[in-house]
Amino acid sequence: MNVIEKQSGAAFKLKKGQKLKVIDPQGEQVSDMVLFNAEDTREKISSGKTLDFEENILITRGDHLWSNRSNKMMEILEDTNGRNDFLLAPCSPETFKIMYGNSDYHPSCFENLYTNLAKFDIEPDDIPTAFNIFMNVKFQPDGKLSVDPPMSKAGDHVIFEAKMDLIVGLTACSAEDSNGGSFKPIHYEILD
Amino acid sequence: MNVIEKQSGAAFKLKKGQKLKVIDPQGEQVSDMVLFNAEDTREKISSGKTLDFEENILITRGDHLWSNRSNKMMEILEDTNGRNDFLLAPCSPETFKIMYGNSDYHPSCFENLYTNLAKFDIEPDDIPTAFNIFMNVKFQPDGKLSVDPPMSKAGDHVIFEAKMDLIVGLTACSAEDSNGGSFKPIHYEILD
């Protein structure tokens, strides 16, 4: 079992056929995930392709995460909570500045993704919109969006199966709004 | 007035402060638009950043289109139809193959974007999720998505103001589902 400490991140390889289990150990925490083809990192996870092929905003068990080249990157095998977000970009320093008027340094999923992915030669500009595990973004009929605390309870988890060799970036979210102000760790496990 | 013939595209520069008027001359047609910073094309339009900062799925008059670096790329000054999509990736050959079982050649917004943008050294992998002008994507409370014919009528238009020097890619959509099966041109005008 691997631990991502609160407000931090990790990056690692996942081979085709391996499974990734992402766990919210205490409940009400979010984990942003990005994916790259390990053989050619210009191929990466795409929210626009995934929402198009799955014909749904809410991506959960039975769905695939698709790439910008229209290939399947992962399949979701289990999802005990069932609510994830694929609309919003990872929180970044500008999120806290522009949306919350906070100009001081603030850790962010964006920084925690690109600093951990740097060892795979992935740069900040390469970070796409992440699949935000456990994130509870509500949408109204008029399109209005709001970020509510996650509904995940301690031990809730999602299991993904890799459909190609992948580089995975994963965080324990740094944004107050995403986790009800309580920063917490994320656990993950690689299953063969 | 510039004409984008049915099932084709265009790419051009737009200087900061210039306005782009995109017109649906016959009604019920969609135009996919992507944006790049003219000085550094690694900065590009981001659906995830735009939906986050505007806190809405439905982007229209008064909203900005934001980049992956959290900068404003365009402001929407006018939108006579009022319905656009920013969820779905541009239709690609795989869209027609995977979603419609059509394995023959089919023109697509994705191809029409990257072939026109090639003169600016932009490659297929660089194409992000587009802002889909006039596209009518319905979403249900359970997240289910459906592509309905546009509600735009002949002469409907959107006026964008550039907030930085831009490279713009623009199409007249090639997908039957986006325009009710009736392929049509798109007109555009650059206003100083």
Side-chain angles (χ1 to χ4, degrees):
Chain A
M1 179 72 68
N2 304 280
V3 176
I4 303 178
E5 301 293 349
K6 64 178 182 177
Q7 297 189 303
S8 74
F12 49 89
K13 289 197 170 185
L14 191 71
K15 286 216 162 296
K16 179 176 175 175
Q18 284 186 318
K19 295 172 191 66
L20 172 67
K21 183 176 182 179
V22 180
I23 304 139
D24 181 355
Q26 300 177 20
E28 293 195 26
Q29 175 56 310
V30 165
S31 179
D32 283 14
M33 182 172 74
V34 292
L35 306 174
F36 298 85
N37 177 342
E39 305 303 316
D40 181 352
T41 59
R42 292 173 302 177
E43 179 167 18
K44 61 179 89 165
I45 190 170
S46 166
S47 60
K49 279 291 175 197
T50 301
L51 270 50
D52 197 10
F53 288 137
E54 300 300 341
E55 302 181 82
N56 209 305
I57 290 176
L58 298 171
I59 301 300
T60 183
R61 190 165 72 91
D63 294 330
H64 289 84
L65 302 177
W66 295 76
S67 77
N68 58 332
R69 292 184 190 164
S70 298
N71 293 313
K72 293 173 179 175
M73 302 191 92
M74 278 181 159
E75 180 179 353
I76 303 181
L77 301 182
E78 275 188 45
D79 184 356
T80 62
N81 172 54
R83 185 84 185 197
N84 309 290
D85 170 67
F86 212 176
L87 297 176
L88 304 188
C91 62
S92 65
E94 296 80 10
T95 313
F96 299 104
K97 189 174 166 195
I98 295 170
M99 301 192 73
Y100 307 118
N102 178 356
S103 55
D104 297 337
Y105 173 77
H106 196 297
S108 67
C109 286
F110 181 68
E111 183 186 0
N112 288 326
L113 288 168
Y114 78 72
T115 53
N116 281 283
L117 286 161
K119 61 177 173 279
F120 299 112
D121 292 326
I122 290 166
E123 298 182 1
D125 283 327
D126 299 328
I127 305 291
T129 296
F131 183 64
N132 305 308
I133 305 164
F134 309 124
M135 192 175 186
N136 186 12
V137 176
K138 293 276 174 59
F139 48 90
Q140 304 304 323
D142 66 357
K144 183 120 193 67
L145 294 170
S146 57
V147 180
D148 286 7
M151 297 183 293
S152 48
K153 297 187 177 28
D156 268 331
H157 59 266
V158 184
I159 300 178
F160 304 90
E161 181 179 323
K163 308 306 274 187
M164 63 171 73
D165 291 351
L166 293 171
I167 294 166
V168 179
L170 202 61
T171 70
C173 186
S174 302
E176 284 79 353
D177 262 26
S178 299
N179 50 37
S182 61
F183 306 115
K184 294 167 181 170
I186 285 288
H187 292 179
Y188 71 92
E189 206 172 348
I190 295 174
L191 313 166
D192 280 307
Chain B
M1 180 71 69
N2 304 280
V3 176
I4 303 177
E5 301 293 349
K6 64 177 183 177
Q7 297 189 305
S8 74
F12 50 88
K13 288 198 170 184
L14 191 70
K15 285 213 163 295
K16 179 177 175 176
Q18 284 186 318
K19 296 172 190 67
L20 172 67
K21 183 176 183 179
V22 180
I23 305 140
D24 182 353
Q26 299 177 21
E28 291 195 26
Q29 175 56 311
V30 165
S31 178
D32 283 14
M33 181 172 74
V34 292
L35 306 174
F36 297 85
N37 177 342
E39 306 303 316
D40 181 352
T41 58
R42 291 172 304 177
E43 179 167 18
K44 61 180 90 165
I45 190 170
S46 165
S47 60
K49 280 292 174 195
T50 301
L51 269 52
D52 198 8
F53 288 137
E54 300 300 341
E55 301 180 80
N56 209 305
I57 290 175
L58 298 172
I59 302 299
T60 182
R61 190 165 73 91
D63 294 331
H64 289 85
L65 302 177
W66 295 77
S67 78
N68 57 333
R69 293 184 190 165
S70 297
N71 293 313
K72 293 173 178 176
M73 301 191 92
M74 277 181 161
E75 181 180 353
I76 303 182
L77 302 182
E78 275 189 45
D79 184 355
T80 62
N81 173 53
R83 186 84 185 196
N84 309 291
D85 170 67
F86 211 176
L87 298 177
L88 304 187
C91 62
S92 65
E94 296 81 8
T95 313
F96 299 104
K97 188 173 168 196
I98 295 171
M99 303 192 71
Y100 307 118
N102 178 356
S103 57
D104 296 337
Y105 173 77
H106 195 298
S108 67
C109 285
F110 181 68
E111 183 186 2
N112 287 326
L113 288 169
Y114 78 71
T115 53
N116 281 283
L117 286 161
K119 62 177 172 280
F120 298 112
D121 292 326
I122 291 166
E123 298 182 1
D125 283 328
D126 299 327
I127 305 291
T129 295
F131 183 65
N132 305 308
I133 305 164
F134 309 123
M135 191 173 186
N136 186 12
V137 176
K138 293 277 175 60
F139 48 91
Q140 303 303 324
D142 66 357
K144 184 118 192 67
L145 294 170
S146 58
V147 180
D148 285 7
M151 297 182 293
S152 48
K153 297 186 179 26
D156 268 332
H157 59 267
V158 184
I159 299 179
F160 304 91
E161 181 179 321
K163 309 306 275 186
M164 64 171 71
D165 290 352
L166 294 171
I167 294 165
V168 179
L170 202 62
T171 70
C173 186
S174 301
E176 284 79 354
D177 262 24
S178 299
N179 50 36
S182 60
F183 306 115
K184 293 166 182 171
I186 285 287
H187 293 178
Y188 72 93
E189 206 171 348
I190 296 174
L191 312 165
D192 280 308

